[in-house]
Amino acid sequence: MKKYSALTLITALALCAFQFAQAQANKEAAKFAREGAEASKNQDWDKAIDLFRKATDRDRKFAPNLAVAYQQRGFAAANDQKFQDAISDFGEAIKINSRDPRIYEQRAAVEMKMNDYDKALADYTEAIKLKPNDVRYYLYRSYIYEMKGDLKTSMADTERALKLDPKNEEAKNRKTRLEARQSQEQPPLVATPPQSSPAPAHTP
């Protein structure tokens, strides 16, 4: 009986010690997350990422904040024409949060600037899987297919966009141009990308 009581006491003490350590870790995580949010507001992306990484190491609930910080730094790098840095940061964001279509969209936009159309196609395809009713994704993918000379697939994506939004002027204009190119009524034109561009991630 005494042995059982001693074992129960040891187990209870170990549990209390674990809960105390976890509470301390959660406090630290929250502190790092607050500081990371402040750094994000000041657009100090390196500091924000470092702090959110520390917060995430202690409590996984802060992982989405780390993903957003990577997105923000990637967006800033893209604006500074540092395309490889941007690609790397968007890749890190995707590792953390692979269910956000905006990250694939942002990375694809940079890949298009680098003329890496195959990778951009793959990223827009992932974005479409995650958000199949977003007209913009079909228009961007249609544009890439047109640039690659695949008019049939470009038309298929344009038709999907029109099915989702029959009044979309950009899709209607693209369809008219593709029909003309397919029938060779006019020489090949330089394709124009969709008007909208990815927006930066929201500050955590």
Side-chain angles (χ1 to χ4, degrees), residues 110-130:
V110 176
E111 289 161 344
M112 286 169 65
K113 288 180 181 178
M114 297 171 70
N115 297 322
D116 197 339
Y117 294 120
D118 289 334
K119 287 183 179 177
L121 271 179
D123 276 339
Y124 276 119
T125 298
E126 284 301 317
I128 287 169
K129 286 178 187 174
L130 294 167

Side-chain angles (χ1 to χ4, degrees), residues 3-30:
K3 283 185 180 180
Y4 178 76
S5 298
L7 182 60
T8 304
L9 179 61
I10 291 169
T11 304
L13 287 172
L15 182 61
C16 287
F18 173 75
Q19 288 174 337
F20 177 76
Q22 192 173 41
Q24 290 300 109
N26 288 345
K27 281 183 183 177
E28 275 193 319

Side-chain angles (χ1 to χ4, degrees), residues 87-102:
I87 293 289
S88 176
D89 278 341
F90 291 136
E92 290 300 318
I94 287 170
K95 286 179 189 175
I96 299 164
N97 183 12
S98 62
R99 304 296 300 169
D100 186 347
R102 293 171 303 171

Side-chain angles (χ1 to χ4, degrees), residues 59-98:
D59 191 336
R60 287 298 301 172
K61 76 178 183 182
F62 294 108
N65 299 87
L66 178 59
V68 169
Y70 272 119
Q71 277 181 270
Q72 291 173 322
R73 190 171 74 174
F75 192 83
N79 284 339
D80 286 342
Q81 309 290 304
K82 296 175 182 175
F83 297 139
Q84 286 296 347
D85 290 343
I87 293 289
S88 176
D89 278 341
F90 291 136
E92 290 300 318
I94 287 170
K95 286 179 189 175
I96 299 164
N97 183 12
S98 62

